[in-house]
Amino acid sequence: MTRRLLVLLAVLVTPVGAEAQNRGQTQASNPEAQVFLETFRHIRNYSLAAFSDSTLWELAIEGLVQQLDDPYAEVFTPQMVDEFREETTGNYAGIGVQITGLNEAITVTAVFRGTPAEGVGMQVGDRIIAVDGESSIGWTTGEVSDVIRGEVGTNVNVTIERDGIGEAITHTIQRDSVHLSAVTAERVEDQVGYLLLDRVARNSAVEVDSAVTMLSDTRGIIIDLRRNPGGYLDESLRLADLFLEEGDVLLTSRGRRPGRWDEQAEEVAYGRIPARVPDLPIVVLVDQYSASAAEILAGALQDHDRAVVLGERTFGKGLVQTILPLPEGRQLRLTTAEWYTPLGRSLHRPHTFDVLPTVSSFGGRTLKGGGGVVPDLEIPDDTLTLAEREVLADAARNEVPLVVRIQEHAFEGAKAARAGDAPREVTPELFQGFMQALEDEGMTPEVIRDSEAEAYLDWRFRMAFFDRLGEVDEALIVRAERDVVLAKAMELVRTSATQAELFAAAEEAAREMERTAERGSPTQPDGGPTGR
């Protein structure tokens, strides 16, 4: 029997529970374990289809996990462990560039600060044509990325083409540990602080703390948690602790005491530090994809009356997963507890109600409890018009990669603007050049030249242009033309000097939306853009 088999056998048949231990039962005397081992032996020896020991153990583990009725339980292979670690920490071994397929070339679209790529002088706009002497023409961005990445301390030769230089340039770059921040922070019109947290990764709280310090002299901060799938529980508590007071309840978790059949354990997390910006108004944006650790942050701030929550009802994942080590470099992800907001609300979606129960916040506001975080002001996302949907359908019919083309033309326009050869704005000539290129590639003029369709394409092009130009604040202003949730948040921050004024303004906006709905008019929040 192999070492791997012995280790896995010990994991599978070790008895759990004080009663079994007190009776002095051993692994060998456990009846269920004996049945399992005999079943394993008979399948291995007599099954018409031949299975190796390793294959049978893989099937046994997979079947065991599947029968737990735990949708989040999973055994990670070593490769999956690495991928999970990179996704949840933002750390990887590489050179520190962002690459995108533009104009049939692998193009550098960002060079991160303090990375090996910046150290050797790589620039935005460089086109990667070879890696370690092998041509990368025709490769996908994933294939190029896989080859460029490697062990810290090892070298990789990256050959690039650059506009204005006739010969290719080869950089010998030593790979290093690179960290991709989960946080984007920007000042909009120098008075609104905007903070996007796209995942709750390791060190997110430190990064948010720095961003909050940078935005502390604005009128208020918008924390955008939309499409944030969550992340680490302990990191979400550190995030909540930045905005709440020392001693405030952040979260309660309840689960089975490890190794005990019938004993429940409850843990309460409390704030440990004074609030960073106690007097600054805060708005939190959520949607149906905000989940897990993102909901912990939104729920804690809502319970303590520290933020107005805008958007859509969140995903509703109120369960805690623990990552447990396994032999051979594997890991087991297992649901081990359920968490509750400071008010005791379970936000897990299986808790369904015909009418959501209500609770009072610590400040006396009425909140809905259960099945996700219900925003203080519910605003549905903007939807596409028929003409706009037809643009996307026309691109698909004619096999035009519309998103890529937008990025390509916006990148070229931004590159000319950075070089001083064009204005730092989308001129009519630039946009019409883009539209003509779409026609030349096969898109239907009658479809894309429709007034609504052209306005939609103009909006997307301007967002991409300012993003590629590095002017995130301008890109946010353009985005707010159609992003009704962001637009309302910016309006509330501009017009509210205190958190109390923010709550009052949000309540009035909610009442106005109700009156509008009763009149049978579109449910556009008062004061927000129509996006048309």
Side-chain angles (χ1 to χ4, degrees), residues 303-426:
D303 281 12
H304 284 285
D305 304 289
R306 188 59 194 92
V308 168
V309 180
L310 266 61
E312 297 176 303
R313 182 177 171 186
T314 61
F315 181 84
K317 182 176 180 288
L319 301 176
V320 178
Q321 281 75 51
T322 300
I323 304 296
L324 302 166
L326 293 174
E328 306 295 332
R330 299 192 176 201
Q331 291 181 347
L332 171 65
R333 180 173 64 189
L334 191 67
T335 299
T336 55
E338 186 170 10
W339 63 265
Y340 300 81
T341 72
L343 287 173
R345 296 186 289 164
S346 173
L347 303 181
H348 199 55
R349 276 281 186 173
H351 296 187
T352 56
F353 309 94
D354 293 333
V355 178
L356 290 176
T358 59
V359 296
S360 293
S361 71
F362 288 107
R365 296 186 306 122
T366 299
L367 307 177
K368 294 179 180 179
V373 175
V374 178
D376 300 302
L377 178 58
E378 292 190 73
I379 306 175
D381 274 344
D382 193 20
T383 57
L384 297 177
T385 67
L386 181 61
E388 293 161 358
R389 290 196 298 270
E390 182 58 24
V391 169
L392 303 182
D394 189 70
R397 282 193 300 268
N398 293 290
E399 299 182 350
V400 177
L402 183 60
V403 173
V404 175
R405 295 297 178 259
I406 291 172
Q407 293 297 325
E408 288 175 348
H409 286 269
F411 182 81
E412 292 302 319
K415 184 166 66 174
R418 282 194 302 270
D421 299 329
R424 299 178 72 87
E425 61 182 11
V426 176

Side-chain angles (χ1 to χ4, degrees), residues 102-125:
L102 300 177
N103 297 314
E104 299 182 355
I106 303 301
T107 305
V108 175
T109 52
V111 179
F112 303 123
R113 293 180 181 177
T115 61
E118 184 187 50
V120 300
M122 289 192 72
Q123 299 178 11
V124 170

Side-chain angles (χ1 to χ4, degrees), residues 500-519:
E501 290 183 9
L502 203 59
F503 285 130
E507 290 172 3
E508 176 55 34
R511 287 191 292 268
E512 177 57 31
M513 289 181 68
E514 290 177 0
R515 291 192 292 267
T516 301
E518 290 172 357
R519 292 194 297 266

Side-chain angles (χ1 to χ4, degrees), residues 469-480:
L469 196 57
E471 296 184 359
V472 181
D473 56 335
E474 291 295 332
L476 285 169
I477 291 172
V478 174
R479 179 178 171 182

